Amino acid sequence: MSRITSVFSQPGHIALIPYITVGYPSIEATLKMVPLLADSGCDIVELGIPFSDPLADGTTIQKASFYALKNGVTPKVCLEVAKQLRQKVDIPLVFMTYFNPVFSYGLEEFCSACNKSGIDGLIIPDLPPEEGSGLELITQRRGLDLIYLLAPTSTDERIRLIAEKSKGFIYLVSVTGVTGVRDKLPTDLEAFVAKVREITTQPLCVGFGISAPEQARQVARIADGVIVGSRIIQLMEDDESMVDVVDFARELRSALDRPNRI
Amino acid sequence: MLPDNKGYFGDYGGRFVPETLVPALNELTEAYEEAKADSTFWAEFDSLSRHYSGRPTPLYLAHGLSKHCGGAQIFLKREDLAHTGAHKINNALGQGLLARRMGKRRIIAETGAGQHGVATAAVCAMLGLQCIIYMGEEDMRRQSLNVFRMKLMGAEVRPVSGGSRTLKDAINEAIRDWVTNPRDSYYLLGSVVGPYPYPSMVRDFQSIIGKETRQQILDEFGRLPDYIIACVGGGSNAIGIFYPFLDDKDVKLIGVEAAGKGLNTGEHAASLAAGSVGVLHGAKSYLLQDGDGQIRETHSVSAGLDYPGVGPEHSYLKDTGRATYVAVSDKEALEGFQLLCRTEGITPALEPAHAIFHAAKMAGSLKKEQIIVVNLSGRGDKDMDIVAEALGVKP
């Protein structure tokens, strides 16, 4: 059982999965933040490797990515940061990035470096399964979970395909759109999750637009995990003490632990 | 026949897009295949090409330019005379008709120089479709006349402030819009780039340029040209004129990229001449990137060539050697621009001015009976301010 799979083996436990861009607002902040998140009840942390053209991201993560790139955050730096974090935390660490930085690094070399840094999985939003077979072979051989995404537009046929290919969990994109804070959950989310549930028993984690404990609570009633990104990046902007982010993570945790409280 | 059923030209192409768009691309591929097999679709395309776009465009023997160069005869395929002033109308018309057929009434598009934006705005006005154009802030400044034209035709022009604020970022933003509105919107991509089926679909609509050229040169001379030269940014005008000649092995195909301030300065847009293989905007192709796979900022005096990627079919043609690719600098393009003004009384856009310069350079060393065709992909009215500034004069 992979470290990610074991997160979902605890009955009734809803996984809390924050996303942070490595090196935003600084590398020190990333090194400090991840252990704090682990201590605040987060189950998996997504570490974003910044890319110059993040076309699945809204303005918040775009801004964080450009800022990190300007500060010299490369895939090598991210691998080094992950290695240091692995000394400090036991929870699964997952890289989220676009395909070109991985392709440029070399698929085999990148996965090998991920192994050495203690990375558990990869999320690559611009790599649908049709293009992923090369990377799948390598990740499987190296014990990395390649996590695929499903969208509200995915057909039954594609849900079956992705359910078969995705490892660790399936990332359900809550809305047709890019990442970013949203006021409300889409009305058709429940139906979307139910449709996927009929087809697969894989753990389902929902992300994109979830930015408040109440939204997390609603998602917890239907999904196995909740992914929160842009709101955390916003809170990190000018919070050197990181108190706000830790408080926010604790609020999310408590919402997920009591999903049926009105 | 390329691309294969996964959208690959050899190693290049494919579909590297967020899951949300895969079903939309499947729907588009299916709709296009259906339209492609429907003679009524092409009948309407042909009729509007003739009566709306003004096709066929002339193939003009540039006596003055040829005489000046003192060698081969240079012909110009006059896409500058097509409606809206560039070859872009061919693709905008084809995809506009396809969008209407698919029942999509909200059209989104990106533009660099503004020519694709203007062509899309025109077709949308003519077909009664809503039109939203994404354009980098830097390009809006460089091509303000085209911004005004788009607005006059009812398009909404949305400035893009991210990244380098040019064509690359306009495409990112258009894709973000499409990811957000995949069900009711049609993304009318303007070049032979992006995920499958765009590279082959845009090629098909643009190949009207090469088909006409072939017929015209055969009618007049009874033989095919020796060289075909076209500028390459994303590469749609080049593929458009190259494609019908791919099997004519004696016709040499030359693509001309933007060398900007010089290939050794790093400030250029020559993905094929100086780039490496990677994935951008949904396709694997040559592109300009740093050692970490980050897309590099580009530079060209012409906004239409100022793009770090290139169509996957061009990458394939480069690797197989069927086409060769060279690069021409800003300074040389401005020379080509002025040369055509003086010798022919034709003001080219800065994009094909790159191709003009290369043709003029080559022609002198060729024999009189040899024939070069240059795709004069657009007219230069939009570039007057830039040229005046570059030449240090106030018009």
Side-chain angles (χ1 to χ4, degrees), chain B residues 140-155:
Chain B
M140 286 180 75
R141 186 190 64 78
R142 289 197 278 192
Q143 306 283 350
S144 56
L145 193 62
N146 273 343
V147 176
F148 185 55
R149 287 171 78 195
M150 287 183 265
K151 288 180 178 168
L152 283 174
M153 293 188 279

Side-chain angles (χ1 to χ4, degrees), chain B residues 262-286:
Chain B
L263 291 186
N264 53 2
T265 64
E267 289 186 61
H268 60 80
S271 340
L272 291 162
S276 55
V277 178
V279 171
L280 175 68
H281 295 146
K284 188 182 284 182
S285 195
Y286 280 88

Side-chain angles (χ1 to χ4, degrees), chain B residues 192-208:
Chain B
V192 287
V193 300
Y196 175 65
Y198 286 105
S200 42
M201 178 170 66
V202 176
R203 174 197 71 195
D204 292 349
F205 290 131
Q206 291 295 2
S207 65
I208 194 169

Side-chain angles (χ1 to χ4, degrees), chain A residues 52 100 130-131 154 158, chain B residues 6 8 15 19 279 294:
Chain A
S52 54
N100 201 51
E130 285 84 351
E131 302 291 352
S154 303
R158 296 194 60 74
Chain B
K6 286 185 80 188
Y8 275 85
R15 262 187 194 169
E19 170 63 20
V279 171
Q294 307 296 347

Side-chain angles (χ1 to χ4, degrees), chain A residues 50-55 57 62 69 74 99-100 103-104 125-126 128 130-131 149 151-154 158 162 176-177, chain B residues 6 8 14-20 22-23 168 172 175-176 179-180 182-183 277-279 284 289 291-295:
Chain A
F51 178 52
S52 54
D53 294 78
L55 51 75
D57 284 304
Q62 281 179 47
L69 283 173
T74 62
F99 188 57
N100 201 51
F103 179 77
S104 161
D126 62 344
E130 285 84 351
E131 302 291 352
L149 297 90
T153 52
S154 303
R158 296 194 60 74
I162 285 161
T176 55
Chain B
K6 286 185 80 188
Y8 275 85
R15 262 187 194 169
F16 297 83
V17 294
E19 170 63 20
T20 312
V22 176
K168 162 181 89 87
N172 287 339
I175 293 176
R176 289 186 188 113
V179 170
T180 310
R183 294 184 181 101
V277 178
V279 171
K284 188 182 284 182
Q289 56 186 330
D292 294 311
Q294 307 296 347
I295 309 308

Side-chain angles (χ1 to χ4, degrees), chain B residues 142-339:
Chain B
R142 289 197 278 192
Q143 306 283 350
S144 56
L145 193 62
N146 273 343
V147 176
F148 185 55
R149 287 171 78 195
M150 287 183 265
K151 288 180 178 168
L152 283 174
M153 293 188 279
E156 180 192 339
V157 182
R158 296 189 180 169
V160 177
S161 58
S164 54
R165 297 174 295 144
T166 59
L167 179 56
K168 162 181 89 87
D169 308 284
I171 295 179
N172 287 339
E173 213 48 41
I175 293 176
R176 289 186 188 113
D177 183 319
W178 198 28
V179 170
T180 310
N181 305 287
R183 294 184 181 101
D184 68 341
S185 296
Y186 183 98
Y187 179 24
L188 207 159
L189 183 50
S191 193
V192 287
V193 300
Y196 175 65
Y198 286 105
S200 42
M201 178 170 66
V202 176
R203 174 197 71 195
D204 292 349
F205 290 131
Q206 291 295 2
S207 65
I208 194 169
I209 305 170
K211 281 181 208 152
E212 286 176 8
T213 303
R214 205 167 195 287
Q215 196 58 51
Q216 288 165 325
I217 200 96
L218 284 175
D219 286 350
E220 196 153 336
F221 285 87
R223 76 174 188 91
L224 295 176
D226 299 285
Y227 295 91
I228 295 177
I229 302 178
C231 64
V232 176
S236 71
N237 89 82
I239 282 288
I241 196 165
F242 288 175
Y243 189 64
F245 292 93
L246 284 184
D247 292 333
D248 304 307
K249 301 294 179 200
D250 293 335
V251 180
K252 296 178 189 70
L253 309 174
I254 302 174
V256 184
E257 294 189 298
K261 294 179 181 170
L263 291 186
N264 53 2
T265 64
E267 289 186 61
H268 60 80
S271 340
L272 291 162
S276 55
V277 178
V279 171
L280 175 68
H281 295 146
K284 188 182 284 182
S285 195
Y286 280 88
L287 48 94
L288 296 169
Q289 56 186 330
D290 69 14
D292 294 311
Q294 307 296 347
I295 309 308
R296 270 180 33 200
E297 296 220 343
T298 52
H299 166 82
S300 170
V301 68
S302 75
L305 303 184
D306 201 352
Y307 179 65
V310 68
E313 192 162 11
H314 283 294
S315 294
Y316 176 73
L317 295 176
K318 173 192 156 86
D319 282 8
T320 58
R322 179 62 191 95
T324 51
Y325 296 87
V326 297
V328 158
S329 73
D330 287 353
K331 206 170 147 264
E332 293 169 330
L334 285 160
E335 270 179 48
F337 179 95
Q338 294 174 83
L339 180 64

Side-chain angles (χ1 to χ4, degrees), chain A residues 203-259:
Chain A
L204 309 179
C205 299
V206 177
F208 281 43
I210 300 170
S211 39
E214 187 43 42
Q215 293 171 332
R217 192 196 312 279
Q218 288 171 37
V219 175
R221 290 178 197 143
I222 50 176
D224 307 300
V226 173
I227 302 163
V228 182
S230 297
R231 183 67 195 136
I232 290 182
I233 300 286
Q234 284 179 348
L235 288 172
M236 285 179 77
E237 257 164 41
D238 34 38
D239 174 26
E240 270 183 41
S241 65
M242 302 185 182
V243 174
D244 293 348
V245 183
V246 168
D247 285 351
F248 181 58
R250 287 197 179 124
E251 283 173 47
L252 290 171
R253 179 73 269 160
S254 108
L256 298 187
D257 290 342
R258 296 181 220 30

